[in-house]
């Protein structure tokens, strides 16, 4: 179980004991940088997708939920490794997982793009 108090997160398996691992989410770790990068990437992918404007808008609109999901996964991974192993490993993951999660978000955006293009192609095939 994770206890949240403002921007402080702590893994507390037993409420009668001290947390096994805790983190303080700093302002520069809030995900804003990732969101800005994903917004730019999402815009670029949407603009270069040869489909109707509303599908491109949907593709771009999915960037925000994807960024939120990415940050939640990132925090969950850090808390998991900090609680199960040690804080050194959790901090190493904190310092190095950003590019990996950005890659997964990029692949997710490209996957959504591919689905939209397939949907568009199947709609044109029916006409």
């Amino acid at each position: 179980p994770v206890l949240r108090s403002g921007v402080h997160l702590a893994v507390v398996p037993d409420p009668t004991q001290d947390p096994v691992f805790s983190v303080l989410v700093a302002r520069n770790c809030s995900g804003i940088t990732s969101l800005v990068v994903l917004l730019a990437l999402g815009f670029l992918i949407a603009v270069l997708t040869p489909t109707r404007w509303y599908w491109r808008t949907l593709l771009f609109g999915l960037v925000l939920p994807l960024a939120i999901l990415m940050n939640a996964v990132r925090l969950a991974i850090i808390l998991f490794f900090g609680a199960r192993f040690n804080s050194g490993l959790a901090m190493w993951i904190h310092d190095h997982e950003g590019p990996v999660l950005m890659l997964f978000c990029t692949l997710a955006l490209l996957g959504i793009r591919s689905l939209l293009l397939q949907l568009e192609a199947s709609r044109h095939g029916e006409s």
Side-chain angles (χ1 to χ4, degrees):
V2 176
L3 176 66
R4 183 179 76 86
S5 176
V7 294
H8 185 256
L9 300 171
V11 179
V12 187
D14 183 358
T16 62
Q17 296 179 353
D18 289 335
V20 293
F21 181 71
S22 64
V23 294
L24 180 66
V25 180
R27 180 173 288 188
N28 57 349
C29 289
S30 65
I32 297 299
T33 304
S34 300
L35 177 61
V36 170
V37 170
L38 281 175
L39 283 171
L41 185 63
F43 181 77
L44 182 64
I45 291 172
V47 165
L48 296 175
T49 300
T51 187
R52 298 181 190 270
W53 68 270
Y54 49 86
W55 291 124
R56 289 189 301 243
T57 304
L58 173 68
L59 181 61
F60 182 68
L62 289 173
V63 170
L64 181 61
L66 191 60
I68 292 170
L69 178 64
M70 177 184 72
N71 251 356
V73 167
R74 182 173 191 245
L75 273 173
I77 290 170
I78 292 168
L79 289 170
F80 174 79
F81 280 94
R84 295 284 183 202
F85 300 102
N86 62 54
S87 61
L89 178 60
M91 292 315 296
W92 185 88
I93 290 170
H94 170 273
D95 294 340
H96 295 91
E97 76 177 336
V100 174
L101 288 177
M102 194 62 65
L103 172 67
F104 286 139
C105 285
T106 302
L107 293 175
L109 283 172
L110 291 174
I112 294 167
R113 177 186 188 269
S114 177
L115 288 173
L116 291 176
L117 290 174
Q118 287 176 6
L119 179 65
E120 189 78 14
S122 69
R123 291 184 73 204
H124 284 303
E126 291 176 2
S127 302

